[in-house]
């Protein structure tokens, strides 16, 4: 699957990646779906640590679906609710997100509770990233489970342990 970019400014892969993701809110929305398993609009809006505005969230979700980072399906339990799922290109952002988190831990004033997942992903390296991507494929794309321990549960348990301390 190829991500759709309107009016690419150049063929440089770094430029195209930045242009595809658009702005910081796009990565934050992907982060919240990827690491927080927030799949509905209200979950994404209400649990946002950064306080995204509803109009910005609606716009980013629309753009991420149009670009091919997210898929949207109707929620069978409620006519006006939708599920947002990561697509394969979004799942393949896990290494990039891990590297962004690692860089941020080294160079920015992070808080321990919000940095623990980045620390575990950095320490776990490519093997953990691959396991996490497989787990995301099961959750978002419906691939069969691998039977390996849940990375998402490990990351959440570490976050809760620090948050509760």
């Amino acid at each position: 699957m190829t991500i759709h970019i309107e009016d690419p400014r150049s063929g440089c892969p770094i430029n195209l990646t930045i242009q595809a993701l658009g702005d910081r809110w796009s990565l934050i929305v992907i982060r919240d779906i990827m690491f927080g398993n927030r799949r509905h609009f209200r979950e994404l809006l209400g649990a946002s640590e950064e306080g995204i505005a509803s109009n910005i969230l609606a716009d980013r979700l629309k753009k991420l679906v149009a670009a091919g980072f997210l898929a949207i399906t109707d929620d069978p339990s409620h006519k006006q609710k939708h599920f947002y799922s990561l697509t394969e290109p979004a799942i393949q952002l896990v290494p990039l997100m891990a590297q962004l988190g690692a860089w941020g831990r080294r160079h920015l004033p992070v808080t321990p509770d919000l940095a623990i997942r980045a620390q575990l992903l950095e320490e776990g390296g490519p093997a953990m990233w691959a396991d996490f991507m497989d787990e995301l494929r099961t959750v978002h794309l419906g691939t069969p489970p691998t039977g390996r321990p849940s990375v998402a549960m490990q990351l959440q348990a570490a976050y809760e342990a620090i948050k509760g301390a």
Side-chain angles (χ1 to χ4, degrees), residues 33 39 65 69-73 83-87 90 139-141:
I33 295 170
R39 309 280 302 273
V65 169
F69 286 103
L70 299 178
I72 185 171
T73 55
F83 280 114
Y84 291 95
S85 298
L86 300 170
T87 62
V139 172
H140 294 269
L141 304 178

Side-chain angles (χ1 to χ4, degrees), residues 39-41 72-75 78-84:
R39 309 280 302 273
H40 293 98
F41 182 89
I72 185 171
T73 55
D74 291 334
D75 183 340
H78 194 284
K79 290 180 183 179
Q80 295 178 335
K81 277 187 164 184
H82 306 288
F83 280 114
Y84 291 95

Side-chain angles (χ1 to χ4, degrees), residues 115-136:
I116 189 62
R117 291 177 224 178
Q119 178 183 336
L120 293 177
L121 284 169
E122 182 179 11
E123 291 169 356
M128 181 181 246
W129 308 342
D131 286 348
F132 188 45
M133 288 189 290
D134 285 344
E135 186 175 340
L136 290 171

